[in-house]
Each structure stands twice: as structure tokens, then as C-alpha cells.
């Protein structure tokens, strides 16, 4: 099976996720600075969640540029990833309105953590579904960036129980780390 249908479906789901998130943004009630300040946490939660979805879309695109074939295991692993990503609008809205509360910050982190784990599973299933010379195997290597992401999300989830600001800082760290494009797959396509 070719990858084009999976990619088109995934692109559509990610577009819907972003649309749902932006529909949660409401303008300030009044036209003064105090009203704007009240909605800043909601806006910032949207900005970072948009970045996360963009990062996943970008990496997903590169992942399937190199993938040669798709099977049932890959389809299910991809759906698993999309499931966790589809929860981002809910946790984005919740943390945006309750960024100082433990449960919303912890829930946001859990969704980010399970999204990262689901992506790692998808990568592993794709690699396992191809032969030993598959270029993705070389490109991913030990996947330090992916492992750091999972560790930072895990730390953020634990820190949510102690200090929500430290927890949020862990989540922001991962976003900033991935803003710098991962060129491993692109480089292996040029070889």
C-alpha cells in the first residue's frame, strides 16, 4: 500500500485539530488592556499547541517522505498518534483557562507525553516494517531528541504536582527544542 492515503487522512485530521483550537479563542469582553491581559494565557496556550501540531505535521511529513510502504500495523500506529493529538484542543482550552491549576497542567502534559510516545511507536513500527537497509533506520539513529522530549514531558507531568510553572517550562522547552527543524530524514533522502 502507498503512503498517500495515510498522509492525506493525517493532514486532514491535523487541519481539523488546528481549526478546533482556533475556534476556542474568544475576543476580550471589553476593549481595554485589562481585558486583553485576561486572555493572554488562553492565547499563549493556543500558540504553543499550534506549534506542537505544526511540529508533528512537519515531522510526520518527513517520516512518510522516506517510508516506502504502509501496512495495517503502520495504519494503526498512525491512528494511535492521531488519537493523542486530537486531545490537544481539549487540554489546550483547559490549561488556557486554568494554567495555575494542577489537573489541567498535568493533563496537558500527559497528552503531550502520550503523543510523543505514540510518535516513537509509529517510527518503530515503520522501521520494523522495512528491511535492514531502510534509510529511516540510519536517519533516526538513537533518536536523542525524541528521548529527551519524552523525558521532559514526564518531568513536566511530575512537576505539575509541585509547581505548575516549572511544569509548563518543561513543555515549552520541548517546543523550542523542536522548532529547530530535524534534518536527519531530509539528509538521508539526499544520500
Amino acid at each position: 500500500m502507498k503512503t498517500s492515503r495515510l498522509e492525506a487522512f493525517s493532514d486532514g485530521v491535523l487541519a481539523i485539530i488546528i481549526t478546533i483550537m482556533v475556534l476556542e479563542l474568544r475576543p476580550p469582553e471589553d476593549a481595554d488592556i485589562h481585558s486583553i491581559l485576561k486572555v493572554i494565557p488562553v492565547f499563549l496556550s493556543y500558540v504553543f499547541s499550534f506549534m506542537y501540531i505544526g511540529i508533528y505535521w512537519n515531522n510526520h511529513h518527513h517520516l512518510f517522505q522516506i517510508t516506502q510502504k504502509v501496512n495495517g500495523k503502520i495504519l494503526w500506529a498512525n491512528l494511535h498518534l492521531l488519537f493523542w493529538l486530537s486531545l490537544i484542543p481539549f487540554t489546550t482550552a483547559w490549561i488556557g483557562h486554568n494554567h495555575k491549576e494542577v489537573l489541567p497542567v498535568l493533563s496537558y502534559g500527559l497528552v503531550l507525553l502520550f503523543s510523543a510516545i505514540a510518535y516513537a511507536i509509529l517510527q518503530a513500527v515503520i522501521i520494523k516494517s522495512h528491511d535492514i537497509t531502510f534509510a529511516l533506520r540510519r536517519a533516526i539513529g538513537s533518536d536523542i531528541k525524541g528521548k529527551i522530549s519524552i523525558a521532559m514531558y514526564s518531568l513536566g507531568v511530575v512537576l505539575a504536582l509541585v509547581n505548575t510553572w516549572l511544569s509548563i517550562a518543561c513543555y515549552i522547552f520541548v517546543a523550542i527544542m523542536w522548532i529547530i527543524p530535524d534534518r536527519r530524514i531530509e539528509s538521508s533522502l539526499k544520500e
Side-chain angles (χ1 to χ4, degrees):
M1 183 185 310
K2 294 182 181 177
T3 64
S4 58
R5 288 201 57 199
L6 180 143
E7 290 176 86
F9 175 75
S10 299
D11 287 350
V13 170
L14 294 175
I16 291 167
I17 290 169
I18 288 173
T19 302
I20 290 168
M21 284 191 320
V22 78
L23 292 175
E24 289 294 321
L25 292 179
R26 303 278 186 258
E29 292 178 18
D30 297 313
D32 60 33
I33 192 72
H34 299 294
S35 295
I36 291 172
L37 291 175
K38 287 180 187 176
V39 298
I40 285 177
V42 174
F43 180 73
L44 288 176
S45 69
Y46 168 77
V47 167
F48 279 100
S49 293
F50 186 94
M51 285 174 35
Y52 285 124
I53 298 299
I55 289 164
Y56 276 104
W57 176 78
N58 193 345
N59 288 328
H60 191 273
H61 168 72
H62 287 113
L63 186 63
F64 281 94
Q65 260 190 321
I66 202 167
T67 301
Q68 300 162 349
K69 60 185 176 183
V70 174
N71 59 29
K73 289 178 183 178
I74 294 171
L75 291 173
W76 281 108
N78 190 67
L79 281 172
H80 178 235
L81 170 64
L82 293 176
F83 168 78
W84 288 108
L85 293 177
S86 74
L87 294 175
I88 288 179
F90 170 76
T91 56
T92 298
W94 201 17
I95 195 175
H97 292 288
N98 302 285
H99 61 281
K100 295 178 184 176
E101 301 297 324
V102 171
L103 196 54
V105 174
L106 186 134
S107 298
Y108 189 74
L110 283 173
V111 168
L112 294 175
L113 173 62
F114 287 121
S115 295
I117 291 169
Y119 189 84
I121 290 169
L122 176 60
Q123 274 185 164
V125 169
I126 290 171
I127 289 169
K128 193 172 183 175
S129 298
H130 289 74
D131 64 27
I132 196 80
T133 63
F134 184 42
L136 183 62
R137 189 180 308 274
R138 276 190 326 275
I140 297 301
S142 60
D143 195 21
I144 297 297
K145 224 172 167 179
K147 290 175 183 169
I148 291 171
S149 299
I150 291 172
M152 289 303 292
Y153 289 141
S154 299
L155 178 61
V157 167
V158 172
L159 285 175
L161 300 169
V162 178
N163 183 313
T164 57
W165 293 109
L166 290 175
S167 177
I168 291 168
C170 289
Y171 308 153
I172 292 171
F173 173 82
V174 176
I176 291 169
M177 182 177 71
W178 282 100
I179 286 295
I180 301 163
D182 191 350
R183 304 251 189 258
R184 295 176 298 180
I185 294 176
E186 283 183 10
S187 298
S188 71
L189 285 172
K190 292 176 185 175
E191 293 175 359

